Amino acid sequence: MRLRRTSLKVAAAVLSLTAFATACGGDDDKKSDGKAGGSDRAASALPATVDTTMGKVTVKDASRVVPLGGDIAQTVYALGLASNVVGVDSSGAVLPESKGKPTFGNSRSLNPEGILAQRPTVAIGSASVGPRTAIDQLKAAGVPIVLIPDSSKPEDAITRITTIATALGVPDKGREMADKTAGELAAAKAKGAQATTKPRVAFLYIRGQANLYQIGGKGLGPDSMITAAGGIDTGTELGVQMSAALTPESMVAAKPDVILVFQKGLDSVGGIDGVLKLPGVAQTPAGQHRKVVAMDDLELGGGGPTAGVALNKLVDLLHG
């Protein structure tokens, strides 16, 4: 998901981790080139050519994969290729399958030297990963770069899954996963449509450590999730494009019944009491009833195989 450029810079500063990577050595590693982990399964459908935001890209080897983005890593793992992953960005590092794997900074401030040290055979990420100089450096080193459109609505998960699976040589597994995700999304949307309530929801992007407080709106991932779950995005209703600074006036005008935040954001301000201290929140129906709900960043903002499960969870949170 994208926030305004200024927000990204602050978020990147907060989320960045010290990147580390060491070149692999020894006979075992040499044998693993082209045959690591689940690559036997991937090899049967490679080479594969896929459409990316940088044009058509051909992937010949998926034995050493670098997923750039938490939902990308989540998808690669769900495809059964965890042992092929040689490193992740900080958003992918939170996944249990990433334990012990090198980390290369966050998806918008990548460390290309650290990535290249792992001798990747393919890197996959969303179109917004960067900086562009890092992507260009990887490309110049001969690493196939598969960049796919950012996820802006839950249904984007379906095409993202199939593209990633095709690029990694497991298209059949991808179609199976995409069909399952599509079914879960349809069921969750139907559940939201049948709800007897129509809550007004304000998504707040908050990072207490960075003193960053914004209200989300049209074009931001949570907007489409809120709508799909049978709610009304009050930021979009106010005309907010992507995001805007949180002000007492905007919150009072929004009149949300529910305030939706990322779990990390909730933790960064000390929980619900901290949210109620933000500008204008205490004067809203949501503030007066302490109706603040939180979801994990990957659940609410990702475009991976858990999109349907996440939407179903949001339906329950908004209408419960």
Side-chain angles (χ1 to χ4, degrees):
M1 114 172 34
R2 298 177 186 150
L3 296 176
R4 290 183 176 180
R5 181 172 298 177
T6 53
S7 303
L8 291 176
K9 289 181 179 178
V10 177
V14 175
L15 297 176
S16 289
L17 300 177
T18 302
F20 67 92
T22 56
C24 300
D27 291 340
D28 289 342
D29 273 341
K30 291 178 182 177
K31 291 177 182 177
S32 72
D33 286 352
K35 295 185 180 297
S39 59
D40 287 344
R41 288 169 290 180
S44 61
L46 293 177
T49 300
V50 293
D51 290 321
T52 78
T53 58
M54 299 173 66
K56 291 186 180 296
V57 172
T58 297
V59 180
K60 298 178 180 180
D61 182 355
S63 63
R64 302 183 68 81
V65 183
V66 173
L68 304 173
D71 57 333
I72 304 289
Q74 189 180 56
T75 303
V76 175
Y77 292 148
L79 289 169
L81 301 175
S83 59
N84 293 50
V85 175
V86 295
V88 294
D89 80 313
S90 60
S91 61
V94 302
L95 298 168
E97 297 93 336
S98 297
K99 184 177 180 180
K101 296 185 186 294
T103 306
F104 312 120
N106 71 68
S107 62
R108 292 185 175 86
S109 60
L110 297 170
N111 173 12
E113 291 80 10
I115 294 174
L116 290 173
Q118 296 303 316
R119 307 191 314 280
T121 58
V122 60
I124 303 179
S126 297
S128 58
V129 301
R132 183 55 186 260
T133 52
I135 299 302
D136 290 343
Q137 187 171 338
L138 296 176
K139 187 176 180 181
V143 180
I145 309 294
V146 177
L147 297 186
I148 57 180
D150 291 288
S151 177
S152 62
K153 57 184 184 297
E155 292 78 12
D156 289 340
I158 299 169
T159 54
R160 287 165 69 85
I161 290 169
T162 55
T163 299
I164 293 169
T166 299
L168 298 183
V170 286
D172 292 342
K173 180 68 174 177
R175 283 190 289 270
E176 178 184 338
M177 187 186 301
D179 288 344
K180 181 175 183 293
T181 302
E184 291 169 343
L185 283 168
K189 291 181 73 172
K191 182 177 177 181
Q194 293 168 2
T196 57
T197 58
K198 193 76 171 178
R200 298 175 56 79
V201 185
F203 169 70
L204 302 186
Y205 182 85
I206 54 182
R207 288 293 186 265
Q209 304 94 326
N211 199 32
L212 177 64
Y213 311 110
Q214 295 187 320
I215 182 170
K218 187 175 180 59
L220 210 59
D223 169 54
S224 60
M225 287 284 283
I226 291 168
T227 301
I232 299 170
D233 187 334
T234 60
T236 297
E237 188 179 69
L238 289 175
V240 174
Q241 295 292 323
M242 297 297 287
S243 64
L246 180 63
T247 66
E249 294 77 13
S250 64
M251 285 307 298
V252 171
K255 302 188 296 290
D257 302 306
V258 181
I259 291 174
L260 175 64
V261 296
F262 286 141
Q263 184 63 53
K264 286 183 180 178
L266 183 64
D267 295 342
S268 76
V269 295
I272 292 178
D273 288 338
V275 174
L276 296 180
K277 294 176 183 178
L278 298 180
V281 172
Q283 286 69 53
T284 67
Q288 292 164 7
H289 294 94
R290 297 178 63 86
K291 186 66 172 179
V292 178
V293 298
M295 292 182 69
D296 181 80
D297 291 38
L298 287 181
E299 288 180 316
L300 189 56
T306 61
V309 175
L311 182 58
N312 185 69
K313 179 178 178 179
L314 183 59
V315 171
D316 290 340
L317 287 173
L318 296 188
H319 301 283

